[in-house]
Amino acid sequence: DHVPAKSSADSHSGAATVVFPCDLCICCIDDSEAARRLLHHHLVTLANTKQVHMFGANEEEVEEFKRTSLATGHIAILDQHLEYGGNSNILGTDIIADLVAQGFTGLVCMRSG
């Protein structure tokens, strides 16, 4: 089953409607609370899925992100630089390398900025 994505731009631009699977599971990790809130809002709205899982409030959530992505994730969206104070600087590319080594085959989207 597929559901057309909702987008106000579609009605104004005449662009083709994007279709997402109904059961799409998206896992996101970002150390910024504002970025997590914004991503969650847009993904739930535009991808028309309720299965958007947000991580990154603290360093411990990195492992939870990996577990959830491997177990149910179709798309993994990562911030490239996760900074939690002190010497803790985790790279999104290192997380993806771990996920791929453990068998993740979903779509990866890396963010930075």
Side-chain angles (χ1 to χ4, degrees):
D1 232 357
H2 291 79
V3 175
K6 298 176 186 176
S7 174
S8 59
D10 289 343
S11 62
H12 300 295
S13 69
T17 302
V18 176
V19 178
F20 293 96
C22 290
D23 61 348
L24 189 66
C25 180
I26 304 171
C27 299
C28 306
I29 187 163
D30 199 304
D31 58 353
S32 164
E33 182 180 350
R36 288 192 306 272
R37 282 196 321 262
L38 187 62
L39 269 171
H40 185 269
H41 169 76
H42 286 297
L43 290 169
V44 167
T45 302
L46 298 176
N48 197 32
T49 182
K50 294 192 182 340
Q51 292 192 74
V52 177
H53 306 281
M54 304 304 296
F55 304 92
N58 55 57
E59 192 170 348
E60 291 74 30
E61 289 190 5
V62 173
E63 290 304 316
E64 188 178 350
F65 168 81
K66 289 180 190 179
R67 283 191 301 275
T68 304
S69 296
L70 286 167
T72 61
H74 298 108
I75 299 174
I77 301 175
L78 301 91
D79 180 8
Q80 170 60 0
H81 298 281
L82 300 168
E83 298 175 359
Y84 296 107
N87 293 330
S88 180
N89 184 20
I90 301 167
L91 297 177
T93 47
D94 291 342
I95 295 171
I96 288 301
D98 288 346
L99 288 175
V100 169
Q102 294 179 57
F104 183 76
T105 59
L107 176 70
V108 172
C109 178
M110 190 64 62
R111 304 176 67 247
S112 185

